[in-house]
């Protein structure tokens, strides 16, 4: 059960994710929720526009290409994406794209057919929020992971 105080904290967190940007060119912050109790459906429900939030479960069963396709579709549709990290699974290719989003506000995809590099900018209507439990956070083998995020809550 989510308490009234937790609901308010989540609401303020989403307001920060939606409204905080930095640097030249308006780079939008990524958000991080660390929780052993919240599920992705709980977070979607408390987001500013629940019908405009997709969920991607990042686990050993998913792959980087699926993730990139989901991100591009999310940006094309001008929606938000909630990434649920399961068991601390974070491939370097996905970390790299999250880092590019947090520092440059874009994805960089290199075409396998030799067409070159494709830059895909995150639109101002879109945001990325990552959900991980404490065990997943401990398993992520990258000390810089938390630095990708502006607003962070541990709830």
């Amino acid at each position: 059960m989510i308490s009234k105080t937790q609901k308010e904290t989540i609401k303020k967190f989403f307001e920060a994710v939606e409204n905080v940007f930095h640097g030249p060119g308006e780079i939008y912050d990524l958000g991080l929720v660390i929780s052993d109790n919240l599920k992705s459906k709980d977070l979607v429900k408390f987001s500013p526009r629940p019908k405009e939030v997709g969920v991607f479960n990042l686990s050993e069963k998913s792959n980087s290409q699926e993730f990139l396709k989901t991100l591009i579709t999310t940006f094309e549709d001008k929606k938000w994406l909630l990434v649920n990290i399961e068991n601390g699974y974070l491939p370097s290719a996905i970390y790299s794209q999250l880092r590019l989003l947090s520092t440059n506000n874009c994805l960089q995809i290199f075409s396998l057919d030799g067409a070159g590099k494709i830059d895909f900018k995150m639109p101002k209507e879109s945001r990325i929020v990552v959900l991980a439990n404490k065990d997943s956070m401990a398993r992520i083998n990258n000390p810089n992971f938390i630095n990708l995020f502006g607003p962070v809550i541990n709830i």
Side-chain angles (χ1 to χ4, degrees):
M1 188 71 165
I2 300 171
S3 72
K4 184 177 180 180
T5 303
Q6 289 173 321
K7 288 179 186 177
E8 285 299 313
T9 301
I10 295 167
K11 183 178 176 185
K12 287 178 184 175
F13 166 79
F14 276 119
E15 287 173 4
V17 170
E18 186 170 34
N19 296 313
V20 174
F21 55 88
H22 63 276
E26 295 185 359
I27 298 170
Y28 310 112
D29 279 344
L30 310 181
L32 174 64
V33 178
I34 304 167
S35 178
D36 288 335
N37 301 318
L38 290 175
K39 305 292 181 218
S40 40
K41 66 180 179 178
D42 298 322
L43 284 177
V44 169
K45 183 170 56 175
F46 294 118
S47 71
R49 295 179 297 276
K51 292 181 178 163
E52 297 177 23
V53 178
V55 175
F56 187 88
N57 292 312
L58 185 58
S59 71
E60 291 86 359
K61 297 175 187 171
S62 52
N63 67 50
S64 300
Q65 293 301 322
E66 279 180 79
F67 180 74
L68 289 174
K69 287 178 186 175
T70 301
L71 269 178
I72 290 170
T73 302
T74 298
F75 293 168
E76 288 174 340
D77 295 342
K78 295 182 168 56
K79 293 186 176 187
W80 287 38
L81 183 63
L82 175 64
V83 181
N84 183 26
I85 296 181
E86 299 175 6
N87 300 317
Y89 183 74
L90 184 66
S92 60
I94 293 175
Y95 170 81
S96 297
Q97 293 300 330
L98 291 174
R99 186 174 186 292
L100 284 168
L101 284 168
S102 72
T103 58
N104 297 326
N105 207 45
C106 72
L107 301 171
Q108 289 183 343
I109 302 166
F110 290 89
S111 172
L112 297 177
D113 64 5
K117 180 181 77 160
I118 301 166
D119 288 343
F120 205 94
K121 193 166 180 73
M122 180 166 45
K124 66 181 180 180
E125 300 86 358
S126 295
R127 297 294 184 274
I128 306 298
V129 174
V130 173
L131 170 64
N133 62 31
K134 291 176 182 139
D135 183 57
S136 283
M137 289 298 294
R139 289 181 184 203
I140 292 172
N141 192 18
N142 188 325
N144 296 313
F145 175 70
I146 200 149
N147 297 334
L148 299 177
F149 305 96
V152 176
I153 59 171
N154 187 343
I155 193 164

